[in-house]
Amino acid sequence: MQFAMQPERHINVVELESLLDYGFRDHSLLLEALTHGSYQLPGISRCYQRLEFLGDSVLDFLITSYMYNLYPGMSPGQLTDLRSSAVNNDCYAFAAVKAELHKHILHASPLLHEQIKNFAESFGKLSLQSTSGWGSETTVPKVLGEFIESLAGAILVDSGYSIETVWNCIRPILEPLATLDTMKLHPVKELGELCQRDSYENKTSVSYVDGKASITITVEANGVSYTATHTGMNKKDCKEISCQNCVGEVESKHDKIIVASSKLLSLQFGLAIQSSN
Amino acid sequence: MQFAMQPERHINVVELESLLDYGFRDHSLLLEALTHGSYQLPGISRCYQRLEFLGDSVLDFLITSYMYNLYPGMSPGQLTDLRSSAVNNDCYAFAAVKAELHKHILHASPLLHEQIKNFAESFGKLSLQSTSGWGSETTVPKVLGEFIESLAGAILVDSGYSIETVWNCIRPILEPLATLDTMKLHPVKELGELCQRDSYENKTSVSYVDGKASITITVEANGVSYTATHTGMNKKDCKEISCQNCVGEVESKHDKIIVASSKLLSLQFGLAIQSSN
């Protein structure tokens, strides 16, 4: 027993078990999965992060297997992009709020409280379409997605490593999973592919000021320079947002002429086909 | 059946099954797992990469679960570093050559032939200690590690998704798995941690020349600039090697004075303790 205290005193076991459609043999695992590092009470010795470590990998494996079987004709590259689009923290965070799991998280951080509250409030206003990707300027509290993983880890351990049980419990929460039509490329990958395709140079510079990371992405596109900078606590998030914004810059300004001329071309091509019929 | 041709005509099924300690129900899965994209024969419709996609995630999950259970007191951060040290392409590539799996790969690429030959020859000369990490200047053919993953994927599918079977077959090939004593940090992470710890600025610049990526890492350490560049076909490898070399530069030159003074300090401290006893 990791938790000497009675789990039922801290979490609503009945509601959570109904939400997950799973009855825990060991309620202390459920408590561990929902306990943030800031929530310290005597008898509570550890937080959700070990279960998150485990749950992260079981969810990756389950979604990978699912996609492997669902799309027998899909190329490995497409499968990888599709998986990245479904197996990512933002997706999990949206799923957590949709299932109202955020109400059950045990923490004692005023900052986290504010972030979760803001995110949950803005969640209703965001369309599902815009929530399946990365690089959103709305701060997605990372911890929310991580709790989906820690819950998956808790069910895995509690069920004696039954991956089927984990899938049956977590899949409904994650639905709808990304499909070829709804998937979005990761911004860092999107920028990389854009630059490689068009032989643009790109530079990333990182600096730290007062413990915050500041990431600047610069793309040199045929003599024109595009730059995007983002500063924040999390370097990875900053890179994603900078890349997302830089791709947006390049696409909206630089590619305008190219898109316009290619549209003209397809219009002409369409007319040519029409006239030949 | 994905493969119309008889697998036994292309691969040594008996030897491979003995090597993996597993008897395949469907030999065509074993054939698929060992077929590189360059090996094209009528009737062979696909390469190892879909199985690699699947096997990658099952190995990650299996090693994660193993470490989660083996180290119940380990912090999530240490677990993550330890997993990264065991779940990486270089480790898998070394394991593939040690098990002589490289002799069974079906390909028709003279370049790959040369790379595998060189790597297998140099393998004997390298100590096991130096082979458990990344950033090695010895070109590790990526494909070798990927075949460990595709074989894991093939066993997974053939065994009806029995993760225990995959573990029993692949674990002996991967042994010895990284432990806290033998693990190495990923060079990109090592550089990031170094810069964050000492508030050094670091910059990454990427350029493409003739389809090759050139990555330059620059670290500004208290007014002194350290730079490392690596050029190659694979951007990720280039980044790893540049980071590895840049860490080496900083540590050997910049930190020399700090190390020297800290050694002096511990010597003095040691003497102080000795004299106080």
Side-chain angles (χ1 to χ4, degrees):
Chain A
M1 277 285 277
Q2 300 297 339
F3 290 91
M5 295 185 101
Q6 288 178 298
E8 297 75 11
R9 286 197 183 175
H10 299 275
I11 48 172
N12 189 333
V13 174
V14 176
E15 204 172 305
L16 282 159
E17 288 189 337
S18 147
L19 211 152
L20 294 166
D21 195 19
Y22 178 77
F24 277 84
R25 280 172 245 184
D26 179 0
H27 290 171
S28 73
L29 280 165
L30 182 58
L31 178 59
E32 182 178 336
L34 290 163
T35 303
H36 186 252
S38 63
Y39 190 81
Q40 303 234 328
L41 277 178
I44 294 198
S45 60
R46 58 168 55 170
C47 75
Y48 72 103
Q49 288 180 309
R50 273 181 56 94
L51 286 171
E52 174 215 343
F53 168 78
L54 185 64
D56 167 55
S57 79
V58 74
L59 287 183
D60 182 287
F61 169 57
L62 284 166
I63 297 174
T64 299
S65 304
Y66 171 74
M67 289 179 170
Y68 176 86
N69 285 296
L70 192 65
Y71 303 105
M74 195 180 275
S75 75
Q78 279 180 312
L79 277 173
T80 305
D81 287 342
L82 189 59
R83 175 178 60 187
S84 303
S85 188
V87 181
N88 74 74
N89 189 279
D90 282 10
C91 272
Y92 293 171
F94 282 100
V97 170
K98 207 171 62 177
E100 307 210 319
L101 274 167
H102 62 290
K103 296 178 179 169
H104 297 271
I105 295 169
L106 299 175
H107 71 87
S109 156
L111 178 68
L112 187 58
H113 176 79
E114 200 61 28
Q115 285 177 340
I116 294 177
K117 193 173 138 267
N118 291 342
F119 178 67
E121 278 171 4
S122 69
F123 175 76
K125 299 169 201 155
L126 295 163
S127 77
L128 202 68
Q129 215 59 10
S130 68
T131 63
S132 51
W134 304 268
S136 158
E137 290 270 10
T138 314
T139 306
V140 183
K142 224 176 133 43
V143 87
L144 284 178
E146 292 169 350
F147 278 108
I148 291 281
E149 296 171 335
S150 63
L151 285 167
I155 296 170
L156 183 72
V157 175
D158 192 73
S159 66
Y161 285 78
S162 162
I163 51 174
E164 292 78 10
T165 306
V166 178
W167 187 232
N168 291 337
C169 298
I170 302 292
R171 184 186 163 178
I173 294 172
L174 295 180
E175 291 282 8
L177 287 164
T179 65
L180 268 188
D181 293 332
T182 62
M183 78 171 190
K184 261 188 81 180
L185 273 189
H186 189 279
V188 178
K189 187 167 186 191
E190 200 177 0
L191 184 86
E193 289 196 354
L194 177 83
C195 291
Q196 196 149 21
R197 188 193 65 197
D198 296 337
S199 294
Y200 298 162
E201 273 198 26
N202 75 78
K203 287 184 188 174
T204 306
S205 72
V206 188
S207 61
Y208 297 97
V209 183
D210 302 331
K212 278 191 182 179
S214 184
I215 306 244
T216 301
I217 307 284
T218 309
V219 170
E220 298 286 340
N222 307 329
V224 188
S225 200
Y226 299 92
T227 296
T229 301
H230 197 88
T231 305
M233 295 308 288
N234 186 297
K235 192 176 143 192
K236 209 166 138 258
D237 290 349
C238 290
K239 189 165 182 185
E240 280 176 17
I241 295 169
S242 307
C243 283
Q244 175 95 338
N245 293 342
C246 205
V247 166
E249 280 286 300
V250 176
E251 283 183 344
S252 70
K253 291 181 187 161
H254 192 80
D255 292 355
K256 215 170 243 173
I257 308 158
I258 301 165
V259 171
S261 46
S262 90
K263 270 193 184 153
L264 187 65
L265 261 178
S266 32
L267 187 69
Q268 289 171 332
F269 185 65
L271 289 173
I273 289 181
Q274 277 190 330
S275 64
S276 72
N277 283 339
Chain B
M1 277 284 277
Q2 300 298 337
F3 289 91
M5 298 184 98
Q6 289 178 296
E8 297 76 9
R9 287 195 182 176
H10 299 275
I11 48 172
N12 188 333
V13 174
V14 176
E15 204 173 305
L16 282 159
E17 288 190 337
S18 148
L19 210 152
L20 294 166
D21 196 19
Y22 178 76
F24 277 84
R25 280 172 246 183
D26 180 359
H27 291 172
S28 73
L29 280 165
L30 184 57
L31 179 59
E32 181 178 335
L34 290 162
T35 302
H36 187 253
S38 62
Y39 190 81
Q40 302 237 326
L41 276 177
I44 294 198
S45 61
R46 58 166 58 168
C47 75
Y48 72 103
Q49 288 180 309
R50 272 181 57 94
L51 287 171
E52 175 215 343
F53 168 79
L54 185 63
D56 166 55
S57 79
V58 74
L59 286 183
D60 182 288
F61 169 56
L62 285 167
I63 296 174
T64 299
S65 304
Y66 171 74
M67 290 178 169
Y68 175 87
N69 285 296
L70 192 64
Y71 302 106
M74 195 181 274
S75 75
Q78 279 181 312
L79 276 173
T80 304
D81 287 342
L82 189 59
R83 174 177 61 187
S84 302
S85 188
V87 181
N88 73 73
N89 190 280
D90 283 11
C91 273
Y92 293 172
F94 282 99
V97 170
K98 206 170 62 177
E100 307 211 318
L101 274 167
H102 61 292
K103 296 179 179 170
H104 298 272
I105 294 169
L106 298 176
H107 71 86
S109 156
L111 177 69
L112 187 58
H113 176 79
E114 200 61 26
Q115 286 177 340
I116 294 177
K117 193 172 138 268
N118 291 342
F119 178 68
E121 278 171 5
S122 70
F123 174 75
K125 299 169 202 154
L126 296 164
S127 77
L128 202 69
Q129 215 59 10
S130 68
T131 63
S132 51
W134 305 267
S136 159
E137 289 271 10
T138 314
T139 306
V140 183
K142 223 176 133 47
V143 87
L144 283 178
E146 292 169 350
F147 278 108
I148 291 280
E149 296 171 335
S150 63
L151 285 167
I155 296 170
L156 183 72
V157 175
D158 193 73
S159 66
Y161 286 78
S162 161
I163 51 174
E164 291 80 9
T165 306
V166 177
W167 186 232
N168 292 336
C169 297
I170 302 292
R171 183 186 164 179
I173 294 173
L174 295 181
E175 291 282 6
L177 287 165
T179 66
L180 267 188
D181 293 332
T182 63
M183 79 171 190
K184 262 187 82 180
L185 274 190
H186 189 279
V188 178
K189 188 167 186 191
E190 201 178 358
L191 185 85
E193 289 195 354
L194 178 83
C195 292
Q196 196 148 20
R197 187 194 65 199
D198 296 337
S199 294
Y200 298 162
E201 273 198 25
N202 76 77
K203 287 184 188 172
T204 306
S205 72
V206 188
S207 61
Y208 297 96
V209 183
D210 300 331
K212 279 190 181 178
S214 184
I215 307 244
T216 300
I217 307 285
T218 309
V219 170
E220 299 286 339
N222 306 331
V224 189
S225 201
Y226 299 91
T227 295
T229 301
H230 197 88
T231 305
M233 296 307 290
N234 186 298
K235 192 176 142 191
K236 209 166 138 256
D237 290 349
C238 290
K239 190 166 183 185
E240 280 176 17
I241 295 168
S242 307
C243 284
Q244 176 96 338
N245 292 343
C246 205
V247 166
E249 280 286 300
V250 176
E251 283 183 344
S252 71
K253 291 181 188 161
H254 192 81
D255 291 356
K256 214 169 244 172
I257 309 158
I258 301 165
V259 171
S261 47
S262 89
K263 271 192 184 155
L264 186 65
L265 261 179
S266 31
L267 186 68
Q268 292 171 330
F269 186 66
L271 290 173
I273 288 182
Q274 278 189 329
S275 65
S276 72
N277 282 341

